[in-house]
Amino acid sequence: MAALAVLTVCSCTSNEYERLSPSYASRAESSASHLQIEEEKTEAVQRKIIKQGTLKFETADVNKTKSIISQSVQDLNGYISNDNANDYSNRLEHRLTVRIPTDKFDLFLENISESIVKMDSKNIDMLDVTEEYIDTEARIKTKKELQNRYRELLKHATKVDEMLNIEREIGKLQTEIESVEGRMKYLNDRIALSTLTITYYQKTTSKFGFSSQFVEGFKDGWQGFLSFIIVLSNLWVFILVTVVTVYLIRRWRRKKKKAIITD
């Protein structure tokens, strides 16, 4: 029976390759993918959710808040992917992008809530990617099955052109598989780790004050004066040449005018 099966495969190699032309492969892949999706729909599927959000609040101490957030991220096996700090005239502001395991997202929010003086905004989005996840998973499975079929045909191919064409189709499928697997990896990462952008600030002045504004204005004026002196120091040669030229021209004019009067 095994020998008969091998003979059958060998005798049908050319016909099988013709049937597995790109157009046939595309139809077979589409059909198989559709069947796979339908099968998955009939089963109980765990929802695939991407959770992301933004948080902005006032705090009494930005350094203490940064310490609380960093410790909580570490305890919950997350990480900080971005960290920026700005010193404005009336406040100190920090902005962090945090990646936290999705199942610990709510606990993380509770941990940092103690440092909130005033909540400015809170936006949490839940993106359901279950359908895309199932479709991507099915596409990977279908393409791999089709690739294995081509490899079986390659084992029994006898003509050089058949071998080259089959190898070309295998290469195309491998590129497609890697692309779809990259998308699957991205989805898994976004599903497993939620993303939260946190902006928190500490006020340094409570209201507009004449004295503080005067001091800031004086500092800005002094910096401007120093910048002007630096510019002049870079242009001293041109200034000297201009002064000497103007002096010589005026002296020549005076001499010329005196000569006319004498005549």
Side-chain angles (χ1 to χ4, degrees), residues 95-119:
R95 177 186 290 265
L96 303 175
T97 301
V98 177
R99 303 296 309 281
I100 293 291
T102 300
D103 59 343
K104 299 176 182 177
F105 186 82
D106 294 335
L107 178 58
F108 174 73
L109 290 178
E110 291 179 9
N111 291 344
I112 67 174
S113 62
E114 61 182 82
S115 64
I116 297 176
V117 172
K118 180 173 72 74
M119 178 71 73

Side-chain angles (χ1 to χ4, degrees), residues 105-159:
F105 186 82
D106 294 335
L107 178 58
F108 174 73
L109 290 178
E110 291 179 9
N111 291 344
I112 67 174
S113 62
E114 61 182 82
S115 64
I116 297 176
V117 172
K118 180 173 72 74
M119 178 71 73
D120 289 344
S121 63
K122 178 181 179 181
N123 299 291
I124 307 298
D125 297 324
M126 308 281 284
L127 181 61
D128 190 338
V129 294
T130 307
E131 185 175 351
E132 181 185 0
Y133 191 92
I134 292 174
D135 179 66
T136 304
E137 198 172 43
R139 288 171 61 195
I140 293 174
K141 181 179 179 181
T142 301
K143 289 180 183 296
K144 286 186 175 181
E145 289 176 351
L146 189 58
Q147 189 181 53
N148 290 334
R149 187 68 179 276
Y150 272 121
R151 285 171 176 163
E152 287 298 320
L153 291 175
L154 183 61
K155 292 179 183 179
H156 305 291
T158 56
K159 297 180 180 180

Side-chain angles (χ1 to χ4, degrees), residues 67-78:
S67 178
I68 292 173
I69 292 175
S70 299
Q71 186 62 50
S72 182
V73 168
Q74 182 179 350
D75 293 342
L76 298 177
N77 298 320

Side-chain angles (χ1 to χ4, degrees), residues 239-256:
I239 295 173
L240 179 62
V241 171
T242 301
V243 171
V244 171
T245 302
V246 171
Y247 172 77
L248 292 175
I249 291 174
R250 293 183 65 182
R251 184 177 180 182
W252 176 77
R253 286 180 176 177
R254 283 198 300 268
K255 286 183 178 181
K256 185 177 179 181

Side-chain angles (χ1 to χ4, degrees), residues 227-239:
S227 299
F228 177 72
I229 296 298
I230 292 173
V231 171
L232 290 180
S233 67
N234 290 328
L235 299 176
W236 70 270
V237 175
F238 302 100
I239 295 173

Side-chain angles (χ1 to χ4, degrees), residues 58-62 64-65 115-117 201-203:
E58 179 186 347
T59 181
D61 188 335
V62 289
K64 182 179 179 181
T65 299
S115 64
I116 297 176
V117 172
Y201 61 91
Q202 174 187 343
K203 290 184 177 180

